[in-house]
Amino acid sequence: MDRQQSATDRAYADTRAKILDGTLAGGDVITEGQVSTALGVSRTPVREAFLRLQAEGLLELYPKRGAVVVPISPDEAVSLSEARELIETFAITKLLTESDRAPRNLVDRLWELLTEQSRQLRARDLPGFVSTDGDFHLEIVTAAQNAHLTRLYSALRDRQHRLTMSHAGHPALSFERIIEEHHKLVKLLEDGDLDAALSAVRSHERPLRKEAVRSR
């Protein structure tokens, strides 16, 4: 990898991470100069990084003025939630109809992730908590062994991370509730209770979706 590409990748990764974790919020303005100074690179790779982020829908560029972080629209939040629910309910349906209960290795892994989330909650490690939350749900989808849906779900993960981080502290998002609902879902998967597991996943997705619908 040449030096120019490496600098572009650094500028891209750093800016993208700050957008996803909420350091750069929707509506914030950033400039090539700010990023180049912070990272110690020239403006050309930063410009290329900004173009990549614009293609992903994360930035809107204004020539000679800078870039604006694209806010998460209510419609995007609703669409994201609906897509996640469709994929997760498919995965659970497949897992609990092909067998009378979820695979033991999946259940064990989910308990491990739930323990980690509980530790992160106690430590108030919000970024870690949200990342582990993504791992938790992705494990369920991956266990259903549908490569296309796993790739699609993985592609949604960063946007879900950004949405969750942007609602930290909002009444519609309780991290204690997330822990409780994850615990309930693992038990249902362990017991092979399909209907209750599907209901649990649907209710798990609804609070932020309802909030998004109200803000349309």
Side-chain angles (χ1 to χ4, degrees):
M1 181 182 296
D2 61 33
R3 185 174 299 178
Q4 175 79 10
Q5 186 60 41
S6 177
T8 299
D9 290 342
R10 283 178 58 206
Y12 167 81
D14 183 78
T15 306
R16 190 173 189 272
K18 288 177 179 176
I19 294 172
L20 295 181
D21 70 13
T23 302
L24 291 171
D28 283 354
V29 177
I30 56 174
T31 67
E32 294 172 7
Q34 289 171 335
V35 177
S36 65
T37 299
L39 297 180
V41 300
S42 68
R43 294 194 180 196
T44 298
V46 175
R47 187 175 306 119
E48 293 172 356
F50 278 14
L51 287 170
R52 287 169 63 179
L53 292 165
Q54 178 177 244
E56 293 182 12
L58 296 175
L59 288 181
E60 186 171 351
L61 304 187
Y62 294 88
K64 299 182 180 180
R65 293 171 54 193
V68 175
V69 178
V70 177
I72 303 171
S73 71
D75 285 344
E76 180 182 0
V78 171
S79 296
L80 176 61
S81 175
E82 290 174 343
R84 281 166 46 87
E85 182 179 310
L86 283 170
I87 295 172
E88 288 189 49
T89 52
F90 167 83
I92 288 172
T93 299
K94 181 178 179 181
L95 288 169
L96 297 186
T97 53
E98 293 186 349
S99 180
D100 60 354
R101 64 195 64 218
R104 186 71 248 171
N105 63 329
L106 170 63
V107 171
D108 289 343
R109 177 59 179 152
L110 294 179
W111 282 126
E112 290 175 3
L113 290 170
L114 186 52
T115 298
E116 178 64 9
Q117 272 200 300
S118 297
R119 183 195 66 76
Q120 290 163 332
L121 180 60
R122 291 192 300 271
R124 310 312 297 175
D125 176 8
L126 178 56
F129 182 96
V130 175
S131 180
T132 303
D133 183 76
D135 292 339
F136 180 94
H137 291 277
L138 183 58
E139 286 286 344
I140 295 171
V141 174
T142 302
Q145 297 183 331
N146 183 303
H148 290 292
L149 289 181
T150 299
R151 281 195 295 270
L152 176 57
Y153 195 89
S154 296
L156 300 174
R157 178 173 175 169
D158 284 346
R159 294 187 181 277
Q160 179 63 31
H161 185 102
R162 185 185 179 206
L163 177 64
T164 304
M165 292 294 292
S166 70
H167 281 77
H170 193 283
L173 185 67
S174 164
F175 294 109
E176 289 79 6
R177 176 184 59 81
I178 289 174
I179 291 287
E180 292 173 1
E181 293 180 356
H182 280 182
H183 189 281
K184 176 182 178 181
L185 179 58
V186 178
K187 284 293 297 177
L188 293 170
L189 292 172
E190 193 171 32
D191 294 341
D193 193 333
L194 174 59
D195 290 341
L198 292 176
S199 178
V201 166
R202 292 183 180 117
S203 64
H204 189 61
E205 287 288 339
R206 296 302 163 86
L208 279 182
R209 188 188 307 173
K210 289 179 180 178
E211 180 60 29
V213 169
R214 280 196 294 267
S215 62
R216 274 174 166 170

